[in-house]
Amino acid sequence: MKGSSVESKTIKPDSVAEPNKDQKIWLVVMAIPAGKVASYGQVAAMAGLGRQARYIGRALGKLPQGHSVPWYRVIRSNGQIAFAPGSETYQEQVSCLQEEGVEVINGRVSMSQFGW
DNA sequence: TCGATGACCCAAC
DNA sequence: CGTTGGGCCATCG
């Protein structure tokens, strides 16, 4: 077995993005109570990413199956949906939000739902 | 290494 | 309220 050496050089980068960061984001998103929403920037700051608000979207896009992450509770800072109206993702997001008790008007959510 | 992209954010007009 | 332009920063070709 060629053993003798595990080395593997530098800690083996998981390549293709570290799931570590994504998981942290998912945890933060899961911490959002029902009936409230959070903006990407807000989640990014909470996850310790700072201004990487854009990374949130990417992490959510990598969501695996069987996840319990209410990604639909994450919207833009101006209270608007992050997807184009009419999109499948958009409709699903609005649908879920309404069930939580969030009022979605014209693809927009009341700012009162933020302070959670 | 550089250039282009992105489920963003903000200010100005 | 809509559009424009700039900024931020990680990821990919």
Side-chain angles (χ1 to χ4, degrees):
Chain A
M1 329 212 108
K2 109 176 338 253
S4 33
S5 18
V6 200
E7 67 252 313
S8 355
K9 305 123 193 238
T10 53
I11 287 225
K12 188 41 154 82
D14 293 23
S15 45
V16 75
E18 285 159 63
N20 198 337
K21 236 173 199 169
D22 297 349
Q23 272 199 338
K24 182 137 192 197
I25 294 171
W26 303 340
L27 283 175
V28 175
V29 176
M30 279 193 284
I32 305 174
K36 306 249 171 157
V37 292
S39 67
Y40 288 90
Q42 199 79 81
V43 174
M46 273 176 72
L49 296 175
R51 300 149 164 159
Q52 270 185 334
R54 297 181 145 215
Y55 198 93
I56 308 300
R58 195 168 295 147
L60 294 179
K62 287 153 126 174
L63 272 171
Q65 297 180 335
H67 61 52
S68 347
V69 183
W71 60 269
Y72 50 81
R73 279 185 201 149
V74 187
I75 58 179
R76 290 196 188 175
S77 64
N78 61 337
Q80 201 162 10
I81 302 294
F83 287 101
S87 256
E88 302 246 351
T89 340
Y90 170 88
Q91 291 189 42
E92 185 165 337
Q93 180 159 25
V94 174
S95 200
C96 289
L97 286 175
Q98 288 185 341
E99 282 201 35
E100 301 272 317
V102 180
E103 206 167 337
V104 183
I105 301 170
N106 200 17
R108 203 161 78 199
V109 178
S110 268
M111 299 300 229
S112 319
Q113 307 293 334
F114 274 80
W116 105 80

